[in-house]
Amino acid sequence: MALISRRTVIATGVSVAALGTVGYGLWPRMGGYLDEADRQRQLLADNPGLEDLVRMATLAANSHNTQPWLFRLAEGQVSILPDISRRTAVVDPDDHHLYISLGCAAESLVIAGAALGRSSAVAVSAGDAPQIDISLTTADPDGQELYQAIPLRQSTRSVYDGQPISTADMALLETAAREAGVSVQFFTEAADRDVILDYVIAGNSAQMDDPAWVAELRDWLRFSSTRALATGDGLFGACSGNPVLPEWMGGQMFKLFFTKEAENTKYRDQIRSSAGIAVFVGDRADPQHWIKVGRSFQRFALQATALGIRTAHLNMPIEVASLRPDFARWLGAPDARPDLVIRFGRAPAMPMSLRRPVSAVLA
Ligand SMILES: Cc1cc2nc3c(=O)[nH]c(=O)nc-3n(C[C@H](O)[C@H](O)[C@H](O)COP(=O)(O)O)c2cc1C
């Protein structure tokens, strides 16, 4: 996925500052958007109920912010099921991203439960459309650091500060991502990042040439805070550093400025300013392993957040099926299906994305 770049806006002769004034100034606190984002991201009180833990789970990363999950509650148990009505058939035809998203939600629920005195046993059913069953029992509270990072984690789609991450912090990131059945490769050398950049540009170019891919992305964009607040889902422009606009104007701007060249330039700046790139690879290409990848990634992203390190996705090399085998060969894993490409580094926070209320995601 990719959004209108600031550089494109500059190229039109309209300054970003001017657009920012139009974008943010006319809507104090973005029409209540920032207050709502803050409200959704409060940590829980002691002794939370299952619905409270579900709220923490829904703050997890998920593809296109479609929130493709349903939660079924029973005594001491939360089950997470796919919400097939929210799949993204073009970018994710085999529900790979969908199951990773469920894994991300499961991991946040487990971490929030642990911090508030509930230990979890996680079971994933077999088959093509598995569900995740999480049984919770009383235990001593554990793992405050990652829990407190849950409301602060975000996909930060901006240019980072270009500085390396310390060896000690890299070791913590590596440890956090450890999960049986998943391996993570870290690339911090400029030469490796430039090779990945070439794959990202090839993938982004292929996606931008596909009208169905562009139309699917467009469906999940939210240009105005009014629409973002009304749906509670999707990709709100401000979260990617784009101006806030009335929906009709955003649609016109998207048609005019969402170009392959501008997007590729943006990705070049983003990758070259990042401290490194992490590539997640599951041992097998099935929904059970995609859930594991999601759990591994969510822990990685929360540990990064706790250390003040930002993360963002660059999944084009694994989304475009024709590129994937070559990318896997470059990774030295020719028989694997690489699952996620994540850049990391330091940068200021962007506005947070919204979620639908818990009542909307209960099965
Ligand atoms: C499996 C998966 C794939 C994703 N792919 C992309 C991507 O290609 N580009 C991107 O900018 N964000 C990507 N994201 C990030 C989501 O868009 C993001 O998690 C969602 O909009 C919610 O925002 P948040 O992470 O800031 O809470 C992906 C997330 C997941 C879990």
Side-chain angles (χ1 to χ4, degrees):
M1 97 189 47
L3 306 178
I4 301 169
S5 84
R6 283 169 172 255
R7 189 173 286 249
T8 318
V9 174
I10 291 167
T12 67
V14 183
S15 79
V16 171
L19 274 171
T21 309
V22 173
Y24 300 113
L26 291 181
W27 289 273
R29 298 282 289 160
M30 285 197 270
Y33 180 97
L34 296 177
D35 294 328
E36 176 58 14
D38 284 350
R39 192 192 64 76
Q40 293 184 1
R41 287 167 184 271
Q42 299 299 307
L43 287 170
L44 301 177
D46 286 345
N47 207 16
L50 295 182
E51 293 195 13
D52 297 319
L53 295 179
V54 168
R55 181 163 71 78
M56 286 290 118
T58 63
L59 296 178
N62 67 95
S63 181
H64 278 29
N65 199 21
T66 69
Q67 304 159 37
W69 41 52
L70 289 167
F71 296 81
R72 183 178 292 144
L73 309 186
E75 183 66 35
Q77 181 166 309
V78 178
S79 299
I80 308 179
L81 301 89
D83 181 349
I84 295 302
S85 69
R86 290 180 165 263
R87 62 196 296 268
T88 45
V90 180
V91 72
D92 188 30
D94 53 6
D95 294 329
H96 166 271
H97 285 8
L98 184 151
Y99 282 103
I100 290 182
S101 304
L102 298 197
C104 293
E107 190 58 27
S108 278
L109 196 145
V110 168
I111 288 170
L116 295 159
R118 307 276 193 287
S119 121
S120 295
V122 180
V124 177
S125 59
D128 289 345
Q131 71 177 49
I132 307 171
D133 295 317
I134 305 174
S135 303
L136 296 135
T137 48
T138 304
D140 289 337
D142 186 31
Q144 291 300 319
E145 191 189 25
L146 296 195
Y147 166 58
Q148 289 185 12
I150 290 177
L152 303 175
R153 185 213 56 80
Q154 59 170 217
S155 301
T156 310
R157 302 183 190 88
S158 55
V159 171
Y160 295 171
D161 72 1
Q163 296 304 306
I165 301 295
S166 71
T167 310
D169 284 358
M170 286 298 298
L172 288 171
L173 293 177
E174 202 177 323
T175 304
R178 256 179 226 158
E179 174 84 19
V182 179
S183 58
V184 187
Q185 296 189 31
F186 292 91
F187 299 96
T188 53
E189 298 297 325
D192 288 333
R193 282 181 289 149
D194 272 357
V195 175
I196 296 175
L197 171 62
D198 288 343
Y199 282 109
V200 166
I201 287 178
N204 183 59
S205 301
Q207 289 178 324
M208 302 272 306
D209 283 339
D210 177 359
W213 181 88
V214 174
E216 184 178 74
L217 172 66
R218 169 75 185 78
D219 271 357
W220 288 100
L221 294 181
R222 309 287 178 250
F223 299 107
S224 66
S225 48
T226 311
R227 177 114 198 278
L229 282 162
T231 63
D233 62 16
L235 300 162
F236 180 43
C239 301
S240 300
N242 294 312
V244 180
L245 299 166
E247 278 305 299
W248 66 267
M249 197 192 288
Q252 296 303 318
M253 296 277 285
F254 180 75
K255 275 191 214 147
L256 285 172
F257 299 126
F258 186 64
T259 66
K260 198 192 295 186
E261 190 190 36
E263 291 300 296
N264 286 339
T265 302
K266 178 180 77 178
Y267 291 124
R268 187 169 301 122
D269 293 346
Q270 291 183 351
I271 289 177
R272 291 195 171 148
S273 69
S274 297
I277 295 174
V279 180
F280 290 67
V281 186
D283 285 356
R284 304 233 315 258
D286 58 32
Q288 287 74 16
H289 281 78
W290 299 335
I291 289 168
K292 283 170 176 286
V293 169
R295 296 189 65 184
S296 164
F297 163 66
Q298 186 70 11
R299 272 200 312 278
F300 168 84
L302 291 174
Q303 177 65 77
T305 304
L307 295 169
I309 297 168
R310 306 283 172 195
T311 58
H313 292 250
L314 294 166
N315 291 321
M316 307 76 165
I318 58 99
E319 288 173 346
V320 175
S322 58
L323 275 181
R324 231 185 272 139
D326 199 32
F327 186 54
R329 268 191 296 278
W330 181 76
L331 291 171
D335 300 326
R337 169 183 176 152
D339 291 293
L340 289 176
V341 183
I342 309 291
R343 69 186 175 100
F344 54 88
R346 293 188 198 272
M350 311 275 282
M352 294 290 183
S353 58
L354 292 185
R355 296 297 186 270
R356 292 173 296 146
V358 169
S359 57
V361 297
L362 293 181

